[in-house]
Every structure is written in C-alpha cells, then in structure tokens.
Amino acid sequence: MKKIINRCKHIIKLIIYYLFIYNIPHSRFCPLFNTIRKFYICHIIKIAFPCRHSKFQNKVYIADFSNIFIGKECQINEHTFIQGARIGDYVMIAPHVTILSSMHGYDQISVPMIKQEKKKNIIPIIGNDVWIGTRAVIMPGVRVGDGCIIGAGAVVTRSTEPYGIYAGVPARKIRSRCDPPFEHPKIQALFKVIP
C-alpha cells in the first residue's frame, strides 16, 4: 500500500511540474519565476542541491526525475531536455541542450531497430565547472570532465578530458583551457571530481 501511495505522490508531482512549473515564463520577465521553479526542483522533487544562486529556466524537460541529480549553483536554460544525468557543481547549460540516458538497440540486424530492446539508464556524468553550448547533445554514458567547454551544436559521443574545449560532430578536442592542465594548485583545490 505504501508503494502505491508513493507512486501516486510521484505522479502528482510530475503532473504539477509539467502542467504548471514547466510553463512558468522565463525569469527575464520576473525573477520570482526562477524562485518558484528552483523551490519546486530543489525542495519538492529533490533532484537539485538547494542553492541561492542556481537558475532553472522554463520548459526544462527532466523526464520522470528518477535518474537526475543537479549540483549547486547550476544554470539550466530553457528548452533543455534531460533524460537522465548526474550534473556537478557550477555547470552552465545553454538553451536547447539534449542530455540522453537511453538509446535504441541496433545490434541485431535481423530485427528492425524500432523493435529491439532499448538500452536504458546509461547515465551521463557532467563534471564541475562545465559549460555546454546551445543545441549540444550529450550521449548516454558519456563523462564530461571537470572544467570542459562543449561548443554549440557539438555531439559528445565519448568521454572528455578535464579542462578541454570540444566542438563538432562528433565532438573533438580543439584545445585545453589551461596548459598544462591540473598543475595550478587553485585548480586542484577548487573542485572535487565526481566519482
């Protein structure tokens, strides 16, 4: 009985989020809108670290909340699609970014791909201090290293090195943000790496 009650509560929270919270206008019109969304995401559905400086804009798709955790002081802009992810601290996600945690099976050539079993819960991990540009796609199971910049429109199909700048389809390393990376003591002390 308790399991049924918890499932009903979860469904009600989903309905409230997608009917009301999801559709509240952008915070550029009124900062109160971000406060309402942040309160709901941090304290009601509890998928984000409660923090005064976090920003969650309108129309952010967050699946059914089950495989998502968002760290402190993150900014997630409008029309972002998060199927599942573990997102570190100080992450900026531009509008129209897609973060996937499942994909269609394609291993059996004798079975149409649409009929093959989906590969689910392959959670991508996004490190601390990451900036993901507009319309970028993060594929299932990818680990985006601390301090990375992912260029606009990039498709990240493989894990990235920390403090790299990546762009293209598929995303390739263009250069490093610091040369050589990790040698500066402030960089080493600033962030803990997400396990």
Side-chain angles (χ1 to χ4, degrees), residues 112-131:
M113 289 181 277
I114 198 166
K115 295 193 181 253
Q116 291 188 38
E117 190 174 333
K118 270 190 173 183
K119 298 175 182 178
K120 296 182 179 180
N121 298 325
I122 313 167
I123 307 300
I125 297 173
I126 298 169
N128 299 309
D129 189 32
V130 171
W131 176 14

Side-chain angles (χ1 to χ4, degrees), residues 12-81:
I12 291 168
K13 288 177 187 179
L14 278 168
I15 291 168
I16 291 169
Y17 179 78
Y18 285 110
L19 283 180
F20 303 109
I21 306 300
Y22 178 84
N23 291 304
I24 295 172
H26 195 286
S27 65
R28 77 171 70 93
F29 302 115
C30 175
L32 177 64
F33 297 153
N34 179 62
T35 304
I36 293 167
R37 268 189 299 273
K38 187 168 47 175
F39 177 82
Y40 196 81
I41 289 169
C42 295
H43 298 286
I44 305 299
I45 58 177
K46 299 177 182 175
I47 61 168
F49 186 87
C51 182
R52 196 173 87 145
H53 301 290
S54 293
K55 288 190 178 179
F56 300 101
Q57 298 304 349
N58 59 320
K59 303 204 184 300
V60 173
Y61 176 85
I62 48 179
D64 70 351
F65 321 140
S66 61
N67 290 317
I68 298 173
F69 177 77
I70 302 165
K72 63 184 176 185
E73 294 193 37
C74 291
Q75 181 175 340
I76 300 177
N77 282 295
E78 63 272 12
H79 300 284
T80 296
F81 180 94

Side-chain angles (χ1 to χ4, degrees), residues 148-177:
C148 278
I149 297 173
I150 306 299
V155 178
V156 183
T157 58
R158 291 187 203 140
S159 295
T160 65
E161 296 174 14
Y163 298 95
I165 299 174
Y166 290 80
V169 179
R172 303 246 186 259
K173 185 175 180 181
I174 296 172
R175 67 180 180 93
S176 192
R177 283 182 58 203

